[in-house]
Amino acid sequence: EPVPPPAPANGPFADPLAIEMPADCVVGGLRDLPGRWFQKAADKPFDFGYPTFEGSCTKGFRRANWSEDDNDLSDGTGQHTWSDGTRFYMRDHYVFDAPNGVYEIAYVNVVCLLPDGSLAGVSGAFDTDRGASFTSVSGYRFEPRDRGASGLSLVGEINPDNFMLAYNLAVDGTHAYVAGPAGLHVIDVSDPAHPTRVGHIPGGFNDVKIVRAGGKVVAYVAPQGGDRTAIIDVTNPSAPVFAGNIGEYSHSVFTTTTPPRVYLGNYTSSIPVYDVSLPLSPVRIANIPVGGTPDIGIHDIHIQGNRVYANKTTDGVFALDVSTGMTTPQALGNLDTAYSHASWAGVAGGRQILIHGDEGMTPDGGAFLRVIDADRTSPTFMTEIGRYQSRPEIGIHNILLDGDRAYIAYYQDGVRVVDLSDPTQPREIGRYNLWDPETAGGGAFESTFGLTLVGDLLYVADSLRGIVILRVEI
């Protein structure tokens, strides 16, 4: 048991022993803490992670990938860890000048081990306006679900300069366009075993879609943060040119080719639509209103003909018919889900379906690929008829449907391929693990983010490995 180091001198949550912990914390129990855990806060669907803890008799206990303690607040930030062998404490502390005086923000996480070997504790947050709030946390040991691959094989991968952290990608011809926090990367994939970066636009981007129209090839790129949607001319892929902005923010982008249009998912309760027949000069032609709770926003969109599916986060997924006009859509139905993140419409097993991906930890246990009846003539229209789950601890990011198969970007569980020849009985038939527990930081949203299928090649955007190209062998 280490000798406890000095506690923080001041600020919120400064006393590690003043934070109320479970009564049955095992004294000296942190000797069993080292290793990787799944840890989540109660009743908060997006407050979870997969931390690794380290420990030694000389240094005490630390969370891996956590920078060294920094208690000098001269730069406005401080970090502190502390342990007495029973409880482990870590605090982030921020102090800066605001118009009404000094403003403070702090986050604290304190854990111990219980007699059954599980982890428990408290997560706290403080800011000057709202004061302190606490929630209980729990956890248990976490390892990869399985090793290796089945039905998918590695063809090639690239992560130039080890900074191409990929969130999403689009493939057009012999080039892949990869969006991430270090910009838009243009990758020549004419030889998929040896992909090569040929162009780059700096910035921070979340999503990308490609449109060919008016003699141009243009990438529409959703920004990170509150900036506007970028227009990047990639007619010459080796010399991409920033060509301006659509005058609205987007988190996700959906495009159609006939006619050429761009739809924006921008966390409002409506969907801006742009005519991109002249792709460097988008023209706003509509703003599709979506029902439900007015102040709950839309994360993603899928268009199938005149059918619009809107993933309205905590309000669920909504189906609309715009055949009579995009400004006056007909509401067809909706399915309430804990967090509607992404969807994809198509036909599988001879049925019109919508596959739907949760992202956070849902009340009934983790995230699911939900199979929804999308046949408007069916008595079960817009209800769930089947579901698949890799395991309860992990959320789903993006998905796609190709024939009777769903391809899922399942964060720490990599790519999962699910057979939907009977949509009511989804069945996993392939997998490829990308997440490496030895090097991963352990954030909630990490590893496999996006994918697109071209022939028998599956192009995967991974936040740790860059772009990974897999061959489908099933």
Side-chain angles (χ1 to χ4, degrees), residues 350-372:
R351 297 182 65 166
Q352 181 68 43
I353 65 168
L354 180 76
I355 59 172
H356 176 280
D358 304 318
E359 187 177 30
M361 298 296 105
T362 62
D364 47 351
F368 299 94
L369 178 80
R370 304 176 190 269
V371 184
I372 300 170

Side-chain angles (χ1 to χ4, degrees), residues 46 48 71 91 141 250 306 323 338 376 417:
F46 289 103
F48 62 95
N71 298 309
R91 183 189 76 166
R141 291 203 175 274
S250 63
N306 289 320
S323 59
R376 195 177 172 190
V417 186

Side-chain angles (χ1 to χ4, degrees), residues 231-309:
I231 304 170
I232 298 175
D233 187 343
V234 293
T235 307
N236 179 356
S238 298
V241 177
F242 176 77
N245 294 288
I246 292 177
E248 298 185 70
Y249 166 77
S250 63
H251 179 78
S252 59
V253 180
F254 192 92
T255 57
T256 58
T257 57
T258 309
R261 287 177 180 165
V262 169
Y263 299 76
L264 304 181
N266 61 1
Y267 286 123
T268 70
S269 57
S270 59
I271 303 169
V273 185
Y274 285 80
D275 182 323
V276 289
S277 301
L278 299 175
L280 296 181
S281 303
V283 177
R284 197 175 196 264
I285 59 172
N287 193 40
I288 303 172
V290 179
T293 309
D295 60 348
I296 294 180
I298 297 164
H299 172 273
D300 211 342
I301 310 139
H302 190 86
I303 312 296
Q304 185 189 37
N306 289 320
R307 191 79 59 87
V308 176
Y309 295 97

